Amino acid sequence: MKKFINNVDNFLNESLEGFGKAHKDIIDVKFDPNFISRRNKTKEGKVSLISGGGSGHEPMHGGFVGHGMLDAACPGFVFSAPTPDQMQAAAEHVDSGAGVLFIVKNYSGDIMNFQMGAEMYSGKNDSIITNDDVAVEDSTFTTGRRGVAATVLVEKIVGSSAENGSSLEECKKLGEKVNKNSGTMGVAFTSCTVPAAGKPTFDIGNDEMEFGVGIHGEPGRKREKIQPSKTIVSNMLEAILEDLKPQKNEKTLLFVNGMGGTPLTELYLAYHDACEILKSKNIEITRSLVGNYCTSLEMQGASITLLKCDEEILKNWDSPVHTAAMRWGM
């Protein structure tokens, strides 16, 4: 295992300390229990958004704490759900009187712990469950579809709505709409190595790829030989389009996400291929996002997310955001 690491037991806290120092103008990092919050207090009467999950997916979720997105994020150990006391502490810290909305990826541990945290918290709260992965219906640690990269889009769009004064009920309804209108498919070329394990999560040949992989290295639809980018992207989009069934000329947001170990040059090449394929199907791309936003440590590979957009979604996507990992319009 080759990683920047001092001690496995201190890995997460040391990383969080570095994150806090690097972005001290935007966020604060709290310990015992661990959570990340906005440096400036959430304004009174604003719905507070909290997300979280296992570490190793950075910049999701801590990198999205700030104006126009999250109010707090709860990082668990690598690929492990955060604990209920983290959610409770984060909620108590950021609730400004309008309630707390938890954004939770569909993994059994995340759902169980967020539900417990919500029950422990005495204030008004609700939750959104993301489940955008079209690869498989049931997988390791899930019942139903996995919550993956579209969680980033939910956090941005609902974050804007909350920033602009929407109620808890309105934020939840918008988040559910974004999730319902999103589809994601991922492909892995290599495994990743969890520091505590010290060895790759799964074995894969030098000429193989896992089609439909999960963000923790869970198995996908099939293992096959690596193919040209245009073929891989076409197969990914075919699975997404079969699920979403967008209308001709329907406006969409195209999100090409890196898994942590794929160069941007390759991600932009994949984006180019996706644009050509969608154009041939008369599907309009009106917004884009390319980069490493929902990662899996150093895994080589990528996911593609397509979001069907209406004016409400587009307005909230375009609105200003200022976080460690995403910022525009400020």
Side-chain angles (χ1 to χ4, degrees):
M1 180 175 69
K2 297 179 180 179
K3 291 182 180 292
F4 285 98
I5 194 165
N6 295 309
N7 182 291
V8 169
D9 294 335
N10 298 333
F11 177 77
L12 177 58
N13 277 17
E14 289 180 349
S15 176
L16 288 173
E17 286 184 5
F19 180 68
K21 290 173 181 176
H23 302 289
K24 60 185 177 182
D25 58 322
I26 303 173
I27 56 98
D28 282 327
V29 178
K30 311 291 186 183
F31 295 96
D32 298 319
N34 296 355
F35 66 90
I36 299 160
S37 65
R38 297 189 188 191
R39 184 163 186 80
N40 297 323
K41 184 175 174 58
T42 300
K43 63 186 178 184
E44 290 299 316
K46 175 195 170 299
V47 171
S48 298
L49 266 58
I50 300 176
S51 191
S55 297
H57 303 304
E58 288 75 15
M60 192 177 75
H61 298 274
F64 303 135
V65 174
H67 179 88
M69 287 191 78
L70 300 175
D71 293 271
C74 302
F77 290 108
V78 175
F79 291 178
S80 298
T83 56
D85 64 316
Q86 289 177 257
M87 293 80 157
Q88 181 187 18
E92 291 173 348
H93 184 77
V94 302
D95 192 348
S96 66
V100 171
L101 183 64
F102 295 105
I103 301 174
V104 189
K105 301 186 301 300
N106 187 31
Y107 291 93
S108 301
D110 291 50
I111 289 176
M112 178 179 68
N113 286 0
F114 268 98
Q115 284 178 342
M116 291 175 64
E119 290 168 2
M120 290 163 58
Y121 179 57
S122 59
K124 181 181 179 182
N125 67 84
D126 210 332
S127 62
I128 298 168
I129 309 298
T130 62
N131 60 349
D132 53 297
D133 192 347
V134 305
V136 291
E137 190 58 37
D138 294 298
S139 182
T140 310
F141 310 125
T142 66
T143 299
R145 305 198 319 186
R146 302 173 293 214
V148 287
T151 310
V152 177
L153 309 184
V154 171
E155 292 175 358
K156 167 63 185 82
I157 292 163
V158 178
S160 164
S161 186
E163 206 74 59
N164 290 311
S166 294
S167 68
L168 182 61
E169 294 75 16
E170 289 168 335
C171 289
K172 176 181 172 71
K173 183 178 178 182
L174 176 58
E176 289 176 339
K177 178 168 74 171
V178 174
N179 178 66
K180 181 181 178 181
N181 285 282
S182 300
T184 300
M185 173 64 76
V187 168
F189 298 150
T190 67
S191 177
C192 57
T193 299
V194 176
K199 60 181 181 180
T201 302
F202 61 91
D203 295 320
I204 187 168
N206 291 332
D207 61 345
E208 292 181 324
M209 63 180 183
E210 184 75 22
F211 186 77
V213 72
I215 58 173
H216 309 96
E218 306 98 314
R221 290 187 172 186
K222 55 186 175 181
R223 179 77 58 89
E224 58 187 14
K225 300 296 184 182
I226 290 180
Q227 300 164 322
S229 173
K230 190 165 289 186
T231 304
I232 298 171
V233 170
S234 178
N235 290 337
M236 295 167 77
L237 284 173
E238 182 181 345
I240 296 169
L241 295 175
E242 181 181 337
D243 183 84
L244 281 184
K245 297 179 172 59
Q247 302 297 312
K248 285 188 176 181
N249 300 315
E250 185 166 10
K251 294 179 179 179
T252 64
L253 184 156
L254 175 60
F255 175 20
V256 175
N257 171 66
M259 296 289 196
T262 303
L264 274 171
T265 47
E266 295 179 31
L267 298 181
Y268 280 115
L269 188 154
Y271 181 84
H272 163 71
D273 289 340
C275 287
E276 295 296 304
I277 292 164
L278 292 173
K279 182 180 178 181
S280 72
K281 297 179 181 296
N282 296 312
I283 296 171
E284 181 181 352
I285 302 168
T286 59
R287 299 294 187 275
S288 63
L289 186 65
V290 181
N292 291 287
Y293 291 96
C294 171
T295 64
S296 183
L297 294 171
E298 76 279 22
M299 183 186 288
Q300 292 182 15
S303 64
I304 294 177
T305 302
L306 200 65
L307 167 62
K308 298 191 292 186
C309 298
D310 61 13
E311 291 308 311
E312 181 184 30
I313 288 173
L314 290 174
K315 177 185 71 174
N316 284 295
W317 177 258
D318 291 340
S319 70
V321 60
H322 189 82
T323 71
M326 189 179 291
R327 58 184 73 177
W328 58 71
M330 299 291 289

